[in-house]
Amino acid sequence: MTSSIPQNPTSNNVAALLPKLNDADSDLRYMSLNDLFNILNAGSHSFLLNDYNTCARTVDGLLKTLDDQNGEVQNQAIKCLGPLAAKLPPDILAPLIEKLSNLKATNSIDSSIPATALRTLIISFPRPITGVPPSKASQDAYSAISKVLIPRLVGYLVLPHGLKGQPTPPPGMLEISAEKGADSDAIDVLIEVVRCFGPMLHEAEKQALQRSVMEIFDSERTSTVIKKKAVVAISLLAVYLSDPLLSAFVSNTIESFRSVHLTPSKRRLLITMIGSLARSIPQRLGPYLKILAPFILSALSQREYEESMEEVAEDGALDPMAEEVKEAALIALEGFLSSCISEMRMFTDEAIEAGLLYVNYDPNSSVRADDEEMNGAQGDLEDDEDVEGRDTDDEDFEEEGGMSDDDDSSWKVRRCAAKVLYTIISTRASGDLLQNGTLYDKVAPVLISCFKEREENVRLEVLATLATLVRKTGEGVSAVRACSDDEGYVSASYTTKSRKRRRGGSDASMFDAQGSTSSTRGADSPATSPSPTSGPKADLARLSASLIQGIAKLLKQSSIPTKQSAIMLLKDFVLVQNGGLSEYLDQTLNSLIEAIRTSSVAAGGSISSSVGGTSSATGSSLRIEALRLVSAICDTHSSRVVSPYTEKIVPAVIAAVRDKYFKVSGEAICVVESVVNVLTPPRSAGTESEHRKYLANLFDVIAERAQATDADLEVRHRAIHAIGVLLARTSGAGTSSKLFSLEKRATGLDILLDRVKNEITRLATVQAINTIVSSTLEKDELKARWVRNVALELAGQLRKSDRTLRASSIAALKSMVANPVALDALDDETVQALVGMLLPLLDVRDLSLLGLAMGVLGDLVKRNPTKVVNKDLNGALCKVVLAPLGGSILDAFLGLVDAIGSQGVGQPLMEGLLKNVGVTGDPAIVGTAIGTLLVSGGATVGVKMEDFVNELQAAQDDKRKCLALSILGEAGLRLGKSSPLQPKVFMGYFKSKSEQVPRAAAVALGRAGASNIPTYLPVILSTMSKSGNAQYLLLHSIKEILQHAGRAQSNLSSYTDDIWKNLLAISQAEDNKAIGAECIGRLASIEPKTYLPLLQNYLQDPTYTVRGMVIQAIRFTLADTDETFDEILKPILIEMLTTMLNDPVLENRRLALTTLNSATHNKPTIILPHLSQLYPLVIKQSIINPDLVREVQMGPFRHKVDDGLEVRKSAYETLHALMDRAFTRINVLDLFDRVIAGLDDEHDIKVLCNLMLTKLVMLDPEETVRRLDSIAERFRAILAFKPKESSVKQEVEKAAEASKGVLKVSILLHNAFPTAAGPVTDAHGQAWRGYWEWVGKDFKSQLQTMEVEIKTQAG
């Protein structure tokens, strides 16, 4: 049958199909319904609104087909209800719902069809969105549900709706009938009503629905399945219960717990219900846990444990219901611990005791132990030949006695107990429980003893829990495991940090074996730092013997999931302890080698390694984890420890490199790099001759993989990188001939030359070449022809569009020209060709490539100045100097200028700078360049210093004076004491009426004085002591002196006291405060022993301006200081920061937060161990203080002014820095609270909180999911905000920017957690699902535009 659907259907098209619904042919009925479905979808929203007759007939036709004998017809009729719901007039909705709710299936076998149709209808109705006024369509839908469906569910009229004489509804769908009991389908309907229309339900309706569900819950006639659905319904309904209703509900639950008639079955259900509520409404249920938690803990008490064991001992059988109560209690306890962390702190000890008690709960084992004890004598007399038969007999006996492993469900209790311990560790191991030793003294030994667990699911939970504890111990420790370069030519799989169990992989990205890496990993012997005597790492070290022995036994078992989990645990231990296996390699390494050699075929197929199949263990994944562990061992242990096992490691690794599975082969190549580091200096000094054979074998296999066209691209990339590491590590005076033959070296270099010409392997090869040329210092190791060819190939890549390739190529060229051997190999023709290809990079539009290009040219100038320096180069440099250069780019530019001058070819450049640039550029930058060239070029540049002195005196315009001053200042800095310039040359211009000239003179004075302290500094100090405008200028001079004194190797010691006194005296003025604080900070950096204690004392000064200046000064000490300074700063910094953050003056607290922010970035090793003191102070400053909000009258308007806004901004910036640098060390819950609260704050804070949310998605996805509802409420408020018509342009732009930022974060959250917006019947996430539906409807075009923008940025 074929039919055509009109583009704009009308009600007549619908009416024409209705007679066919009664046709005797089921196929015709089905096709008619299919056409109806398409017409309803294609029709406009209002095409049926005015045709009541057609609507009524359509409803009747669908109701009849719902009772059709053909199941496909029924299903198609249900599909039609969805689009029909949005097209019907409001007056027909109530009759439709009434007819559906009363529909009785007479022709159909499936009695759930009416309920399914009702659910489809409810889901299709326009639903309300929390926080947004309901639309008329959603109000109409709710009105029909309230009038008809809710009374039909509960069996009586809940709300009168202003009507009198309404008929009494039939018995409620939720009522428990004597024949059939409770209706499971009715509960499903109730769940959809609450899920879709919960925000609109009246108080009486919530109470009525709650009462009906609780009757089902309390009835002894309802089945367990229905009661479980009732628990879901209660957890959904609880989201919308008012505080009085929730309080009454909790009170009734407490009374039920206290009832003397409480049965085990009812107790289990109550526990399950409370656990479900903890996950659905954790913030609202939290205050009640003080009363509720003891009921759950009592089910896990020592007394009930002993009673269970006595019952088993007497009866020889388990009580299944008692087991289920324990399991439910442990699941609920886990929910409490993960969702209500703060409220459960008071029950920490009880929770730990319960977890430890039941993780070993095994009544079956105790019965067997008794039997074995009674029959021990008989067992001793049996011959070994009868062992097999005896085992069979024992199994038969167990089956007869009802105590077989198949009937034993106690493993579920043990698994849940392990999950409880996991949750305690994951939520509390960043604080007190880890530091005070509780987790290692109480929990860890018990977990290790559970390695002998016979049930694999439990054993895997135990291993995952212990691995989490080990990783928590090492959080904040830098990774030593590495495999590839940061540039990303090897695909990396990062595992997010989360409290969620992930047995398939380590959940700490710092331990990810495929994370970001460096080619220098494991290059030097691991530092043997003394083991701590106290703390978590010391606790772990004390357990290392029992831990490793237990793992060694597990590695001998045949179970792949257990082996893999044990290996991952051992890898975490090695990384956290930075070794730790020196004494145990004999026990573990053989098993690891065996695991590496295990073929995927022999290991069998995929085996689930966790309940639910969230991850799987296979032979290949086992080999990968074993390879990662071997690599970690090589990287963290000395060559002396690892070398004796090289004979076993190398053959196994070579076999793995040749494996056909690319992940195994790629990971094996990473191990090759680690083994190469072990076998080569400086780690293996003195044993090179023994390792020559191994290195040759390793080279052969990686060379083979690098050239194999059938190998995976990732494998070839890694093999090329490994070749680079091997050739670099075997280079050096006297080692090459012993370790690696020149023939193989030449082969390796030729492979790289060939691979760099191949587009798909070019990037990896460029990075390998960079590694080699950075380390090779022998002439016979780098052939001139190879160097020239490679140099030209690298330069040729600078024209490519791939930015990563261009950056890597210029970096490799820089390493090549910095290597004297490679630089000497470049002939004139190659140099000239390189210059031609480098000149296009002298473009200020790409500063990163510009700096490297100038560095390469600077080295080439020293090699052959006449071929490098030409008209084009000089012209390009004259254009570059016009840009606002700074930092490393300016240093590279000055380095190139200095090289040109020192080689005697600077005159053309000098002419270009003077004639073509002159005063058109920034006088400070241009003057620095000319001054550098003037000193380095000397007499060859065609001008003298006297010429610029004369120019300074003769110049009439300010720019020429500033340029001359800058040139003289730079020249004075570079000439030092040989400079003929005197201070008066500069100080004479302090009184100039120009704004720029005095400042330029002050800076020039300081630069010239930095390398000639005895001549300049006394004059500056004597003038500074006199009052007047010159003090501010002289502060700039002092700043330049302090900044450049170290570089100029000047001795300030005899003047520091005078400088300090003058700075303190004149820095009190408002104009001098900022520059004075910087000078004081730089002086303290030069002599920290003297001035840091003085700064600490000044923090107690009664004058708030002095304290503020000192706070700023401390911030300037934190950057560009060395380890010596850190040793002096370390004992006092935390106390100083605490004092600053508690300063009573608002502005000083803001300055203190910026100082802490700087310290977080520059001194993390000092700050991070003390975050428990500092973090609460930052959190406190991020909270809005109502006392700081005031109203200001501005004309006829009153505006609110928040004096604490700037402090909060600084607090959030500091929180952002702490999140980036020390996420694992801070209280995550407090951080989420402040980030979500910040979404309600001012615009700048909203922007920062959006940025933090995008990072929290990766840092803690589990907590982010839990907070989605709160985030949705804030996001909805931001998007719903509309500026007034009278709003200024700035306010409109801010609102638009805020909406754009919210949409971007919403997309990122949805992409990260797509199931959170899915149609699941879970109380948690209701607000987010509603928000996402609303955004997708009302902001569809903006979402599409933002998605394209996100994809473009990611690409």
Side-chain angles (χ1 to χ4, degrees), residues 246 250-251 253-254 257-258 270-271 273-298 329 331-348 350:
L246 180 62
V250 174
S251 298
T253 303
I254 293 172
F257 271 118
R258 291 172 175 168
L270 288 173
I271 291 173
M273 180 182 67
I274 295 300
S276 180
L277 290 179
R279 290 179 170 88
S280 63
I281 51 170
Q283 295 179 348
R284 298 183 65 193
L285 189 69
Y288 298 100
L289 287 186
K290 187 175 182 180
I291 302 175
L292 290 173
F295 294 115
I296 279 73
L297 291 169
S298 66
I331 293 173
L333 181 59
E334 182 195 2
F336 290 173
L337 292 169
S338 61
S339 303
C340 308
I341 300 175
S342 301
E343 293 81 0
M344 285 299 293
R345 283 183 176 270
M346 67 176 68
F347 300 106
T348 299
E350 293 88 341

Side-chain angles (χ1 to χ4, degrees), residues 160-220:
H161 292 285
L163 301 176
K164 297 182 179 179
Q166 288 181 300
T168 303
M173 297 167 64
L174 294 173
E175 291 183 8
I176 305 172
S177 66
E179 299 83 10
K180 299 181 179 179
D183 186 0
S184 173
D185 296 327
I187 299 179
D188 293 334
V189 173
L190 167 63
I191 288 173
E192 290 303 333
V193 170
V194 176
R195 190 174 70 85
C196 296
F197 291 91
M200 297 184 71
L201 292 175
H202 288 336
E203 197 76 358
E205 293 172 328
K206 299 174 188 175
Q207 191 169 8
L209 292 174
Q210 176 196 333
R211 187 182 301 112
S212 297
V213 175
M214 289 307 298
E215 288 176 358
I216 296 174
F217 187 84
D218 293 334
S219 174
E220 296 181 357

